[in-house]
């Protein structure tokens, strides 16, 4: 959009009307092109998140979505499908007709296969038309919501069609282009590097937003606030006071019809490489010099680089794998993994993994990080538990309770988001009897508002050009380097006992024996 | 809420202690009752209707802001010299995950001349003191003077004033130890958000230095003046001159700053404020115009506005935006979350006051 000038224009570097308002900034008008717009992610997550941003008036006038996929849909049919998705999946019900009317005027659709050059020529024309009609000023966000197998084709075609643009546009006066890439980001180090190379051929690194929706969760962002905005915890956050850290991400469902995908992925790729490593790096990182994309991500990468690599020969010592057998969870019967649709009858894909990682730096020397994640476990639960060292000398030996439970600080990511601190207290009685009690903070009860969906925050950040909560190239590759070595070890030593845990239990017996060898035990969740 | 207990003013603290002890005893073996207090809230009501409304609002406020609430009903008609006091507790319903949190309310009905010495002894020590003054301000009164010396923040609602002098309020806002807030200012915040949003794109900001005409229409005159004060203070407008005044319509010529700050004198800009007092809505329309662009907001329903951007040579952009209408308790809750001075409000107030000088 250009403003006709009748007198010299003085450009303001900041918006003087923003001062004192809670909302920091609204993104510039832009078009979000969603590749794979007929898929589940678009109707379940992306468009409901965008609609909610519109409801909260966080989107600019003229904001538009252009769906791009193979199915021969019209604009109108796309709008109907998205309205159905929003009606079903938006966290604000019922749908607001006035807001939907304005929002849906900005929804468009273009049918094309992902490798058809003509489709991308049509895309260019469609974008230019929307720019003219809705003053989106050449600003674009490309969203890859397709299966990963389509990424390379789409990226190359965007490049060939001359649509890649730049990160800052035309001398800061609009016309920027960004691309959001969904996980999985590669399936090992080589494929991740190859995808990064393909992206780098077309886009600059500061145009690339690798999304991990865990980082959009309020509770994950709160890890940084908790650590670096409170004076009392950081002095204890090191090897002198912490015995070990457990990170758990458990799911109480099986593969739920995604057997074909899961056969290719497994828990290590599906959960550990992205979500759990994000949690680990936020908990273990050093304080960044500033709360900006470069400083925060520099520190996260430093932690990943400090993790001692597990060589293929060490996998038996540092890892445990599992695969679920038939069982029941909350009264619901679950078939064994090998009987799920799309799963091979002799599959060796892991549905449970436990890892012990050691971080070789001054802060964490000698403090093991135990990570576990799995499907068909008794509860859906993600938490980080920091277990502090026991007292150096036990005073209360001649009492009914001579063993004192360790102090545990638990950061609950989902559900029941919050933080609790377990400590010992004297029970009211004439003698010394101790009991562990919890000091508990719950997000829902303390703030009384629903936290925004992770996608809302991340989509808005991308439109604003803030990549702090997105994964950088070196972060992805460092994480894959660590895990590729484990995957190679697992190939060398295939599991002999799959399936080795019953659905509805906390993983294989071996996982409990393995941590017990270190004199520790998994938290009961 | 527990049934209010009449009590002698001198014995209020003792009576509160007795209430808490009784509650704790009656709950033995079931939920724990937590007595919580994060702030003192003094509500000054000048009629029975306001006093009743204050009690309802306090019940809601204590869910998010546990406090000691003191409702001071200054009964101008009372000449008997009596001071009547009641104490009670507001409790949230407990749930499986949390204990029951209860807060206390003290209700004092006094005749005007006795009111000054009542509050100070009832405050919980070392906690912030908020005063919510319902209805017209009586800033020079002994009660007001006394409360100003006790309070950290003073909350009022400009929409309840019939006639008043905003310069007194501006002087009050200059007190270093007392911050002030106007619920009417909070009511125009969604409008301020939308106006700010027009100029978030860097290329749109130049319009702010090219404005030639501004229209503000409101059914609440104080909201209109605050809106003008806000635009004026943020955009560095200077030397307002009232040119035309018709019934309810005021037209000013102001000097707009050339570069968005107050250092330079730019061209004249015409600002028209139309107030058609009615209790229905506040702001109804706002138009910002440059020689080649127009930004407009118009109320289309109680909870919705329509926004329009028209730029020469471009298609008109229109959309509907929801405006969240808060109730009184939600506005008061918002005010209790701020302790320090609201610089933007105070500057808007200053420029609103300047319009009348």
């Amino acid at each position: 959009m250009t403003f006709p000038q009748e007198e010299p224009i003085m450009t303001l570097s900041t918006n003087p009307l923003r001062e004192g308002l809670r909302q920091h900034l609204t993104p510039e008008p832009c078009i979000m092109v969603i590749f794979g717009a007929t898929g589940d992610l678009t109707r379940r997550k992306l468009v409901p998140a965008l609609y909610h941003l519109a409801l909260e008036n966080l989107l600019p006038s003229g904001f538009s979505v252009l769906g791009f996929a193979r199915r021969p849909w019209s604009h109108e049919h796309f709008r109907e499908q998205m309205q159905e998705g929003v009606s079903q999946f938006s966290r604000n019900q019922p749908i607001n007709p006035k807001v939907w009317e304005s929002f849906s005027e900005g929804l468009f659709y273009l049918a094309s296969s992902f490798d058809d050059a003509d489709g991308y020529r049509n895309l260019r024309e469609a974008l230019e038309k929307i720019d003219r009609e809705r003053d989106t000023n050449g600003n674009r966000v490309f969203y890859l919501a397709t299966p990963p197998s389509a990424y390379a084709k789409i990226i190359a075609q965007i490049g060939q069609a001359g649509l890649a643009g730049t990160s800052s546009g035309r001398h800061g006066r609009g016309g920027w282009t960004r691309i959001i890439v969904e996980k999985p980001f590669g399936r090992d180090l080589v494929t991740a590097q190859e995808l990064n190379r393909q992206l780098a051929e077309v886009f600059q690194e500061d145009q690339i937003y690798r999304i991990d929706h865990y980082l959009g969760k309020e509770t994950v962002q709160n890890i940084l606030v908790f650590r670096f905005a409170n004076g009392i915890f950081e002095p204890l956050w090191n090897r002198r006071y912490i015995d070990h850290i457990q990170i758990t991400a458990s799911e109480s469902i099986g593969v739920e019809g995604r057997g074909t995908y899961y056969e290719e992925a497994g828990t290590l790729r599906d959960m550990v490489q992205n979500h759990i490593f994000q949690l680990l790096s936020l908990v273990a990182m050093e304080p960044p010099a500033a709360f900006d994309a470069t400083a925060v991500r520099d520190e996260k990468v430093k932690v990943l680089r400090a993790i001692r690599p597990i060589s293929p020969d060490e996998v038996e010592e540092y890892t445990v794998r599992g695969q679920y057998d038939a069982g029941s969870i909350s009264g619901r019967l679950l078939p064994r993994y090998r009987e799920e649709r799309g799963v091979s009858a002799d599959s060796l894909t892991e549905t449970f993994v436990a890892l012990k990682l050691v971080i070789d730096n001054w802060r964490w020397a000698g403090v093991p990080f135990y990570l576990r994640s799995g499907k068909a476990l008794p509860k859906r639960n993600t938490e980080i538990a920091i277990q502090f060292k026991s007292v150096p000398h036990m005073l209360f030996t001649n009492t009914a309770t001579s063993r004192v439970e360790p102090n545990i600080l638990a950061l609950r990511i989902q559900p029941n988001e919050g933080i609790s601190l377990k400590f010992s207290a004297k029970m009211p009685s004439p003698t010394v009897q101790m009991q562990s009690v919890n000091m508990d903070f719950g997000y829902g009860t303390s703030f009384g508002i629903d936290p925004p969906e992770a996608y809302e925050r991340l989509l808005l950040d991308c439109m604003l050009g803030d990549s702090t909560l997105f994964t950088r190239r070196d972060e992805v590759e460092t994480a894959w380097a660590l895990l590729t070595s484990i995957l190679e070890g697992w190939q060398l030593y295939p599991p002999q006992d799959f399936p080795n845990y019953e659905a509805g239990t906390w993983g294989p017996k071996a996982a409990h024996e393995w941590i017990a060898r270190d004199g520790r035990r998994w938290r009961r969740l | 809420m527990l049934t209010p207990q009449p009590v002698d003013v001198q014995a209020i603290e003792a009576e509160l202690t007795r209430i808490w002890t009784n509650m704790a005893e009656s709950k033995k073996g079931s939920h724990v009752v937590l007595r919580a207090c994060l702030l003192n809230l003094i509500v000054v009501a000048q009629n029975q209707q306001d006093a009743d409304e204050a009690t309802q609002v306090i019940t809601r406020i204590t869910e998010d802001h546990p406090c000691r609430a003191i409702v001071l009903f200054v009964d101008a008609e009372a000449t008997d010299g009596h001071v009547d006091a009641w104490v009670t507790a507001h409790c949230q319903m407990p749930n499986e995950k949390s204990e029951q949190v209860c807060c206390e309310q003290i209700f004092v009905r006094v005749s005007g001349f006795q009111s000054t010495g009542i509050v100070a002894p009832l405050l919980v020590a070392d906690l912030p003191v908020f005063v919510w003054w319902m209805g017209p301000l009586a800033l020079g009164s002994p009660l007001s003077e006394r409360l100003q010396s006790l309070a950290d923040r003073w909350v009022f609602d400009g929409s309840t004033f019939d006639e008043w002098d905003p310069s007194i309020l501006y002087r009050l806002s200059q007190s270093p130890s007392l911050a002030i807030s106007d619920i009417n200012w909070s009511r125009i915040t969604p409008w301020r958000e939308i106006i700010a949003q027009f100029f978030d794109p860097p290329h749109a900001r130049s319009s702010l230095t090219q404005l030639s005409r501004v229209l503000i229409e409101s059914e609440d005159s104080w909201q209109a003046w605050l809106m003008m004060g806000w635009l004026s203070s943020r955009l560095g407008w200077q030397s307002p001159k009232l040119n035309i005044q018709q019934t309810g319509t005021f037209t000013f010529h102001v000097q707009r700053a050339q570069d968005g700050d107050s250092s330079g004198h730019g061209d004249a800009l015409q600002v028209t404020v139309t107030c058609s007092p009615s209790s229905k809505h506040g702001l109804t329309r706002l138009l910002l115009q440059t020689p080649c662009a127009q930004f407009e907001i118009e109320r289309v329903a109680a909870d919705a506005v329509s926004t329009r951007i028209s730029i020469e040579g471009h298609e008109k952009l229109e959309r509907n935006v929801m405006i969240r209408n808060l109730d009184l308790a939600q506005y008061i809750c918002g005010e209790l979350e701020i302790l320090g001075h609201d610089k933007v409000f105070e500057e808007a107030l200053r420029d609103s006051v300047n319009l009348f000088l």
Side-chain angles (χ1 to χ4, degrees):
Chain A
M1 175 163 62
T2 52
F3 283 70
Q5 296 175 26
E6 292 186 1
E7 56 185 280
I9 292 178
M10 310 296 284
T11 305
L12 303 170
S13 57
T14 56
N15 179 356
L17 301 178
R18 270 284 161 214
E19 191 177 351
L21 291 173
R22 286 192 180 182
Q23 189 183 324
H24 176 57
L25 198 64
T26 315
E28 292 178 61
C30 62
I31 308 170
M32 183 169 288
V33 181
I34 303 179
F35 293 96
T38 55
D40 247 15
L41 181 68
T42 307
R43 63 190 289 276
R44 276 175 181 265
K45 294 287 183 189
L46 302 183
V47 174
L50 291 169
Y51 162 74
H52 199 265
L53 291 174
L55 193 64
E56 294 285 315
N57 194 28
L58 294 169
L59 291 179
S61 284
F63 171 79
S64 308
V65 173
L66 176 55
F68 187 106
R70 292 190 194 90
R71 293 188 201 178
W73 286 3
S74 63
H75 297 316
E76 207 39 57
H77 187 66
F78 180 58
R79 286 171 193 151
E80 285 165 12
Q81 289 294 312
M82 294 307 110
Q83 185 171 10
E84 213 171 273
V86 170
S87 300
Q88 206 177 340
F89 299 109
S90 167
R91 65 192 174 95
N92 274 79
Q93 298 293 352
I95 199 166
N96 183 304
K98 287 196 185 78
V99 173
W100 178 258
E101 184 192 333
S102 293
F103 178 74
S104 64
E105 281 171 6
L107 298 183
F108 304 94
Y109 184 80
L110 179 63
S112 169
S113 70
F114 297 133
D115 52 3
D116 177 8
D118 284 342
Y120 290 81
R121 271 191 289 279
N122 295 338
L123 174 62
R124 170 189 277 279
E125 283 168 17
L127 291 171
E128 286 169 356
K129 184 164 182 280
I130 298 171
D131 276 342
R132 282 194 303 275
E133 290 175 355
R134 296 178 60 80
D135 280 331
T136 38
N137 207 27
N139 297 320
R140 326 251 183 263
V141 174
F142 294 119
Y143 200 117
L144 301 187
T146 63
S149 54
Y151 288 177
K153 281 180 265 189
I154 296 169
I155 294 163
Q157 289 288 350
I158 290 173
Q160 282 163 23
L163 290 168
T166 63
S167 60
S168 56
R170 301 182 295 269
H171 312 294
R173 292 182 65 83
W176 46 256
T177 304
R178 297 170 190 140
I179 183 166
I180 301 179
V181 187
E182 264 289 339
K183 75 153 192 151
F185 203 82
R187 57 185 325 282
D188 54 25
L189 179 59
V190 172
T191 51
Q193 285 172 328
E194 175 59 15
L195 181 53
N196 277 333
R197 191 191 58 72
Q198 288 161 351
L199 278 164
E201 277 181 6
V202 177
F203 296 98
Q204 298 153 357
E205 177 62 23
D206 59 1
Q207 291 179 277
I208 304 167
Y209 290 69
R210 299 172 189 84
I211 196 165
D212 180 340
H213 72 269
Y214 253 52
L215 283 175
K217 289 180 184 291
E218 286 288 319
T219 40
V220 174
Q221 293 161 42
N222 189 44
I223 296 171
L224 291 180
V225 174
F226 181 81
R227 286 190 59 195
F228 303 127
N230 291 294
I232 59 173
F233 298 108
E234 200 51 26
L236 309 178
W237 216 260
N238 57 52
R239 61 187 299 272
R240 286 188 67 185
Y241 301 102
I242 293 177
D243 178 75
H244 73 279
I245 291 177
Q246 291 184 20
I247 302 178
T248 301
S250 61
E251 294 178 276
S252 57
I253 53 172
V255 289
E256 302 278 304
R258 294 169 66 229
T260 312
Y261 160 75
Y262 213 79
E263 278 288 90
E264 290 295 308
T267 306
L268 198 72
R269 291 186 175 98
D270 191 47
M271 292 295 290
V272 178
Q273 185 273 335
N274 35 65
H275 305 327
I276 294 186
F277 267 23
Q278 289 296 343
L279 298 181
L280 180 145
S281 51
L282 290 172
V283 162
M285 69 193 272
E286 294 299 316
F291 189 59
D292 63 39
T294 304
V296 171
R297 296 192 296 183
D298 280 350
E299 294 303 335
K300 285 168 66 189
V301 174
K302 272 163 67 180
V303 170
L304 294 177
R305 288 194 185 126
I307 294 174
R308 189 185 301 167
I310 298 170
S311 71
D313 287 334
E314 293 174 317
V315 291
E316 297 291 327
E317 187 183 345
Y318 287 97
T319 74
V320 177
R321 284 166 283 176
Q323 188 187 76
Y324 65 85
D325 202 346
S328 76
I329 301 171
S330 306
R332 192 168 49 95
L333 289 175
L334 223 68
R336 68 166 50 173
Y337 173 72
R338 288 176 174 179
E339 289 170 3
E340 297 271 12
R341 193 153 46 89
V343 173
S344 155
D346 55 359
S347 169
L348 296 180
T349 301
E350 81 284 357
T351 62
F352 174 94
V353 62
L355 294 181
K356 177 181 166 183
L357 297 179
V358 173
I359 298 178
D360 285 327
N361 64 17
W362 277 46
R363 185 188 285 264
W364 296 116
V367 180
F369 283 67
Y370 297 98
L371 320 179
R372 66 174 161 166
S373 180
K375 287 199 170 288
L377 301 182
K379 276 185 192 172
R380 172 175 169 258
N381 209 323
T382 302
E383 71 147 45
I384 301 162
I386 291 115
Q387 182 165 326
F388 290 89
K389 289 185 173 172
S390 298
V391 291
H393 171 65
M394 185 61 195
L395 280 182
F396 311 103
T397 47
N398 295 323
T399 65
T401 323
S402 58
R403 186 176 175 278
V404 183
E405 289 285 309
N407 298 126
I408 292 175
L409 181 70
L411 310 175
R412 298 190 303 273
I413 308 299
Q414 63 180 18
N416 302 327
E417 295 84 351
I419 296 169
S420 67
L421 178 66
K422 187 164 93 169
F423 60 95
S424 295
K426 180 183 176 300
M427 290 172 68
S429 81
T431 59
V432 177
Q433 290 185 53
M434 283 175 288
Q435 189 177 326
S436 285
V437 292
N438 268 340
M439 209 150 69
D440 201 55
F441 150 72
Y443 256 86
T445 50
S446 291
F447 295 123
I449 49 168
D450 289 336
E453 277 286 315
Y455 275 102
E456 290 169 28
R457 169 70 195 263
L458 294 173
L459 293 175
L460 196 61
D461 277 5
C462 174
M463 286 186 257
L464 288 166
D466 182 351
S467 56
T468 308
L469 298 177
F470 293 83
T471 316
R472 209 167 58 188
R473 176 179 187 156
D474 50 356
E475 211 175 332
V476 169
E477 293 184 5
T478 309
W480 271 126
L482 289 162
L483 295 187
T484 301
S485 173
I486 295 173
L487 289 166
E488 286 168 5
W490 284 356
Q491 288 256 303
L492 284 175
Y493 305 99
Q496 305 298 320
D497 58 349
F498 276 11
N500 60 355
Y501 71 97
E502 188 185 329
T505 65
W506 282 107
K509 202 173 157 209
H512 300 274
E513 293 167 352
W514 171 78
I515 195 169
R517 285 202 289 274
D518 286 353
R520 300 181 174 105
R521 61 186 168 88
W522 291 113
R523 256 167 71 76
R524 273 198 304 272
L525 297 174
Chain B
M1 189 172 86
L2 295 184
T3 311
Q5 299 294 314
V7 62
D8 186 294
V9 176
Q10 308 280 336
I12 283 177
E13 284 295 349
E15 178 59 22
L16 284 169
T17 306
R18 193 188 63 75
I19 286 179
W20 290 111
T21 308
N22 287 350
M23 283 172 73
E25 304 236 317
S26 68
K27 299 279 181 176
K28 261 185 187 166
S30 59
H31 286 282
V32 175
V33 178
L34 291 182
R35 179 186 190 181
C37 189
L38 296 175
L39 55 97
N40 294 287
L41 174 64
I42 304 163
V43 188
V44 179
Q46 298 170 78
N47 56 57
Q48 187 64 50
Q49 194 184 341
D50 280 356
D52 293 343
E53 187 175 24
T55 301
Q56 287 170 18
V57 168
I58 287 166
T59 309
R60 298 263 311 280
I61 288 172
T62 51
E63 290 173 12
D64 292 331
H65 298 278
C67 60
R68 171 172 286 189
I70 303 165
V71 178
L72 197 60
F73 173 20
V74 184
D75 189 350
E77 291 171 10
T79 52
D80 51 10
H82 273 292
V83 178
D84 303 318
W86 298 265
V87 290
T88 188
H90 296 281
C91 298
Q92 295 172 39
M93 292 304 290
N95 62 39
E96 288 171 4
K97 290 180 192 165
S98 63
E99 290 81 8
Q100 188 170 28
V101 175
C102 295
C103 312
E104 53 214 19
Q105 181 188 328
I106 301 166
F107 187 98
V108 185
R109 178 177 159 275
V110 290
S111 55
F113 70 91
Q114 290 168 307
S115 57
T116 52
I118 296 282
V119 172
L122 298 176
L123 297 176
V124 180
D126 209 24
L127 288 178
V129 178
F130 289 78
V131 170
W132 169 25
W133 189 288
M134 300 179 81
L137 291 176
L139 286 178
S141 70
L143 176 62
S144 168
E145 296 286 326
R146 181 69 64 90
L147 292 180
Q148 284 170 41
S149 69
L150 296 172
D152 295 293
R153 190 170 198 86
W154 189 283
V155 182
F156 59 92
D157 185 352
S159 72
T160 60
F161 305 161
D162 292 328
E163 283 186 13
W164 60 298
D165 179 359
S167 62
I168 299 173
L169 206 56
Y170 177 65
R171 281 200 295 279
L172 184 64
S173 75
Q174 297 308 295
S175 159
S177 59
L178 177 69
I180 64 168
S181 4
D182 182 355
I183 293 169
N184 233 8
W185 172 250
S186 303
R187 289 192 186 100
I188 69 168
T189 297
W191 286 69
R192 294 195 294 127
E193 289 275 7
I194 296 167
I195 298 164
Q197 198 173 59
F198 285 142
F199 304 101
D200 275 334
H203 59 269
R205 286 179 207 152
S206 54
S207 294
L208 289 172
T209 58
Q210 296 181 295
L211 291 174
S212 54
R213 186 166 158 250
V214 173
L215 287 181
I216 301 169
E217 293 178 8
S218 179
E219 292 175 353
D220 178 305
S221 52
W222 183 229
Q223 286 191 24
W225 298 123
L226 280 175
M227 176 55 75
M228 180 165 171
W230 174 64
L231 288 168
S232 168
S233 59
R234 291 302 98 205
L235 300 177
W237 295 346
Q238 295 194 338
S239 316
K241 287 197 180 67
L242 179 59
N243 268 17
I244 309 163
Q245 181 179 356
Q246 294 171 332
T247 312
T249 299
F250 305 80
T251 300
F252 295 86
H253 278 156
V254 298
Q255 297 292 319
R256 64 166 194 247
Q258 194 65 287
D259 55 1
D261 65 29
S262 55
S263 59
H265 287 268
D267 294 337
L269 149 74
Q270 182 182 294
V271 184
T272 304
V273 177
T274 302
C275 306
S276 42
S278 131
S279 56
K280 206 174 167 194
H281 297 306
L283 292 165
T284 51
R285 183 168 172 244
L286 195 134
L287 174 79
L288 301 164
Q289 197 175 330
T290 75
C292 51
Q294 196 165 292
F295 305 86
E296 189 176 5
I297 310 173
E298 189 167 18
R299 189 181 285 277
V300 291
D303 62 349
V305 295
S306 164
T307 71
R308 275 180 290 278
I309 303 176
S310 318
I311 293 161
E312 213 173 272
H314 292 258
E315 302 242 355
K316 190 188 278 185
L317 273 180
E318 281 193 60
R319 66 172 174 160
N320 297 319
V321 176
M322 300 310 294
I323 290 204
R324 195 169 287 145
N325 285 319
L326 305 182
D327 60 27
L328 189 55
Q330 289 168 312
Y331 280 120
I332 297 291
C333 279
E335 301 301 341
L336 299 183
E337 286 164 13
I338 317 164
L339 199 59
H341 283 256
D342 179 346
K343 178 174 146 265
V344 176
F345 167 60
E346 289 174 3
E347 289 177 359
L349 185 63
R350 178 200 63 205
D351 280 22
S352 306
V353 170
N354 285 341
L355 296 174
F356 297 96
L357 294 179

